[in-house]
């Protein structure tokens, strides 16, 4: 009866607890532990219960296990019969995919050939899991298909952190393809939250890109954020023979490749921010012909720097576009060229290309 109640107490502890025998097999883990390691098994070896992303079936036997701080914490506790505390760095599998976690573990011998491990900073593990969930949600904000309004498109999206501050979007209004790239201030979690706002607040029913940006600006002002927060936007609407475009603080040109060469399109309007009381946004129009390629970029492309401090620049994007035959070809070439140019991308990279 006493054992039954002790197990019940352990099950309901808020602290994550795991018990391991001298053969490094898990004999018990409580509800809090299973909540942290959602992809793990209820019993078995340590790798299986913690959902180790390595070969958990051969936990402790394969080459990846050498130097494993989790295993060594329990081994050292058994050998010394003393409490052992370790900082654990581990790659684990969850329903959202593989993620890296870090946590502190204290292992205490409790007799009967058992050691008890407690996770001392479960909150940090919870943050890691939430970040992975946020990353997966942001991935779902990206364009889903390859066609819009009868136009084939391709895009590139490489966040410099787990959560990015760029948002590419492609959609159809009537029979016309529309594209938008937004670049928000900052990086990381705050930037990710702002991109989610842009996705929800951008008016896809607006008759013109400038009207969509103006509506976004009005909703942004309702947030009452400080002047450090802003959004730059480039938006296009592709008709049968012409492109209607608008830009808000976006200093990266829209590129249009035609038989006669490449046109750099610029339009000066303020970013979406609280810097101005009554910002105005405008549309302009440029014709195109079948076979042309239209490209939207963010400044992560043009301001990408190599080890010598040189920028990839608009010229790098133009050169890439000059020998690319299709939108998909351009996106593939751009990714190769950027990764060749810069070993460590330090900003979010976003581009959309349309076959016209």
């Amino acid at each position: 009866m006493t054992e039954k109640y002790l197990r019940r107490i352990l099950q309901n502890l808020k602290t994550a607890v795991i018990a391991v025998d001298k053969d490094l097999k898990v004999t018990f883990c409580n509800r809090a532990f299973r909540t942290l390691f959602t992809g793990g098994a209820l019993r078995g070896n340590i790798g299986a219960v913690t959902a180790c992303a390595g070969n958990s079936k051969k936990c402790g036997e394969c080459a990846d296990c050498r130097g494993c701080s989790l295993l060594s914490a329990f081994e050292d506790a058994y050998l010394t019969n003393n409490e052992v505390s370790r900082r654990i760095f581990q790659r684990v599998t969850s329903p959202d995919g593989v993620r890296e976690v870090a946590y502190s573990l204290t292992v205490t011998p409790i007799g009967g050939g058992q050691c008890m491990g407690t996770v001392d900073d479960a909150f940090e593990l919870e943050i890691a899991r939430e970040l992975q969930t946020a990353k997966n949600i942001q991935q779902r904000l990206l364009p889903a298909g390859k066609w819009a309004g009868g136009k084939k498109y391709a895009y590139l999206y490489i966040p410099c952190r787990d959560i990015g501050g760029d948002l590419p979007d492609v959609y159809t209004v009537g029979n016309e393809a529309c594209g938008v790239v937004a670049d928000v201030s900052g990086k990381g979690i705050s930037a990710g939250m702002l991109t989610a706002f842009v996705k929800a607040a951008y008016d896809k029913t607006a008759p013109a890109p400038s009207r969509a940006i103006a509506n976004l600006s009005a909703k942004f002002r309702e947030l009452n954020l400080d002047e450090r927060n802003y959004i730059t936007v480039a938006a296009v609407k592709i008709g049968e023979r012409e492109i209607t475009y608008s830009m808000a603080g976006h200093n990266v040109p829209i590129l249009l490749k035609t038989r006669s060469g490449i046109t750099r399109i610029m339009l000066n309007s303020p970013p979406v921010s609280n810097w101005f009381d009554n910002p105005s946004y405008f549309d302009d129009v440029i014709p195109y012909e079948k076979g042309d390629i239209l490209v939207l970029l963010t400044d992560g492309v043009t301001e990408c720097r190599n080890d010598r401090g040189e920028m990839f620049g608009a010229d790098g994007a133009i050169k890439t576009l000059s020998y690319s035959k299709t939108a998909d070809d351009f996106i593939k070439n751009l990714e190769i060229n950027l990764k060749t140019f810069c070993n460590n991308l330090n900003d979010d990279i976003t581009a959309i290309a349309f076959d016209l």
Side-chain angles (χ1 to χ4, degrees):
M1 185 66 71
T2 301
E3 181 181 349
K4 173 183 176 182
Y5 283 106
L6 285 175
R7 290 181 70 88
R8 185 177 297 177
I9 290 170
L10 288 171
Q11 278 290 4
N12 289 281
L13 282 177
K14 299 301 181 184
T15 300
V17 175
I18 181 174
V20 176
D21 65 20
K22 60 183 180 181
D23 296 321
L24 299 181
K25 300 296 183 182
V26 177
T27 58
F28 173 82
C29 58
N30 69 352
R31 188 175 295 111
F33 191 93
R34 295 196 301 273
T35 299
L36 294 176
F37 298 94
T38 53
L42 295 178
R43 292 288 187 274
N45 57 47
I46 296 175
V49 174
T50 61
C52 176
N55 188 351
S56 60
K57 292 183 178 180
K58 295 186 176 181
C59 180
E61 301 176 12
C62 62
D64 292 340
C65 297
R66 294 170 187 167
C68 173
S69 53
L70 180 57
L71 288 176
S72 67
F74 283 97
E75 289 174 338
D76 290 351
Y78 278 115
L79 289 172
T80 64
N81 199 35
N82 288 317
E83 185 175 273
V84 172
S85 294
R86 293 283 164 79
R87 186 69 173 166
I88 310 298
F89 299 92
Q90 191 178 4
R91 294 179 72 248
V92 301
T93 302
S94 71
D96 296 323
V98 175
R99 57 191 173 94
E100 295 183 357
V101 297
Y103 56 95
S104 296
L105 180 76
T106 299
V107 180
T108 305
I110 57 176
Q114 299 278 326
C115 277
M116 179 180 71
T118 57
V119 178
D120 296 333
D121 53 0
F123 183 65
E124 186 174 345
L125 262 174
E126 184 70 19
I127 290 175
R129 189 174 66 179
E130 292 299 325
L131 282 173
Q132 182 64 41
T133 300
K135 179 180 178 181
N136 291 339
I137 290 173
Q138 190 172 60
Q139 288 291 321
R140 295 176 185 179
L141 299 180
L142 300 176
K146 296 183 178 180
W147 291 85
K151 306 297 183 186
K152 190 174 182 180
Y153 70 90
Y155 72 92
L156 174 66
Y157 174 73
I158 307 175
C160 71
R161 298 183 183 177
D162 282 344
I163 302 175
D166 284 0
L167 179 70
D169 202 4
V170 179
Y171 58 97
T172 302
V173 175
N175 295 320
E176 297 177 320
C178 298
V180 57
V181 291
D183 186 357
V184 309
S185 55
K187 293 180 176 65
I189 297 174
S190 61
M193 293 180 68
L194 203 49
T195 58
F197 162 79
V198 174
K199 178 74 173 184
Y202 191 82
D203 186 3
K204 294 182 178 180
T205 65
S210 63
R211 176 42 45 192
I213 294 174
N215 292 345
L216 175 66
S217 177
K219 292 179 180 178
F220 177 86
R221 296 173 72 82
E222 293 176 2
L223 297 178
N224 198 30
L225 299 176
D226 63 38
E227 62 182 12
R228 292 173 297 178
N229 296 280
Y230 62 89
I231 307 166
T232 70
V233 185
V236 298
K237 187 175 184 180
I238 305 171
E240 290 186 6
R241 297 182 179 179
E242 61 186 22
I243 301 162
T244 303
Y245 62 93
S246 185
M247 303 175 80
H250 206 76
N251 59 359
V252 182
I254 297 172
L255 305 178
L256 177 63
K257 180 182 180 180
T258 65
R259 287 181 296 179
S260 59
I262 296 175
T263 302
R264 297 172 51 143
I265 305 169
M266 299 292 294
L267 188 64
N268 293 322
S269 292
V272 173
S273 67
N274 289 322
W275 301 347
F276 307 97
D277 290 334
N278 295 298
S280 297
Y281 302 99
F282 306 94
D283 292 309
D284 209 341
V285 175
I286 186 171
Y288 74 88
E289 296 181 0
K290 184 176 177 58
D292 293 349
I293 302 174
L294 177 68
V295 172
L296 309 179
L297 307 164
T298 60
D299 61 8
V301 175
T302 56
E303 295 179 7
C304 177
R305 293 181 181 272
N306 62 16
D307 294 338
R308 297 187 296 274
E310 301 166 333
M311 289 200 301
F312 189 74
D315 289 341
I318 290 171
K319 182 179 179 181
T320 304
L321 182 57
S322 67
Y323 62 80
S324 299
K325 297 180 180 179
T326 65
D328 188 61
D329 193 28
F330 168 75
I331 292 298
K332 290 178 181 177
N333 290 336
L334 181 65
E335 182 174 6
I336 292 170
N337 291 347
L338 284 171
K339 290 182 176 179
T340 302
F341 182 80
C342 178
N343 293 323
N344 184 24
L345 300 175
N346 54 13
D347 199 357
D348 302 320
I349 303 293
T350 302
I352 305 174
F354 292 90
D355 286 320
L356 303 180

